[in-house]
Amino acid sequence: LAKIPEAERRAYLFTDLIAQRIDDVMKQKGVTKSRLAQMTGKRPCEVTKWLSGSHNFTCRTLSLISDALQSDIVNVAK
């Protein structure tokens, strides 16, 4: 782990935290993986990938998920 560059470790941490946030919101709203797949027009395996903690999210994907769940997944300072 010490050999992994700090920037890469931070990136893994961010993606893991985003995946945890999506999972938390899904649980709060009672949304299953299958249902989120339907809501976003994606396949269930894509949702599984999102929740794995290793998916490299794009802004478009985060926006799609936020819209589907009607909840902010990430907050960006203005």
Side-chain angles (χ1 to χ4, degrees), residues 1 3 6-7 17-18 25 28-29 32 34-36 41 45-46 49 52-53 57 59 62 64 67 71-72 75-77:
L1 197 62
K3 293 181 180 183
E6 179 64 25
L17 290 172
I18 291 168
V25 173
Q28 289 170 5
K29 296 185 176 259
T32 64
S34 296
R35 181 67 186 129
L36 183 58
C45 64
E46 185 77 15
K49 203 181 297 184
S52 73
F57 292 95
C59 291
L62 291 172
L64 179 70
D67 289 348
S71 184
D72 289 336
N75 292 313
V76 179

Side-chain angles (χ1 to χ4, degrees), residues 11-52:
Y12 283 122
L13 175 63
F14 287 156
T15 57
D16 188 56
L17 290 172
I18 291 168
Q20 288 177 32
R21 171 72 179 143
I22 294 167
D23 189 56
D24 289 346
V25 173
M26 288 173 63
K27 286 177 181 167
Q28 289 170 5
K29 296 185 176 259
V31 175
T32 64
K33 289 182 197 179
S34 296
R35 181 67 186 129
L36 183 58
Q38 291 173 342
M39 295 164 74
T40 57
K42 301 292 183 178
R43 293 176 292 146
C45 64
E46 185 77 15
V47 175
T48 298
K49 203 181 297 184
W50 295 340
L51 297 175
S52 73

Side-chain angles (χ1 to χ4, degrees), residues 58-77:
T58 65
C59 291
R60 287 185 197 274
T61 301
L62 291 172
S63 179
L64 179 70
I65 297 167
S66 293
D67 289 348
L69 294 174
Q70 297 180 341
S71 184
D72 289 336
I73 299 302
V74 295
N75 292 313
V76 179

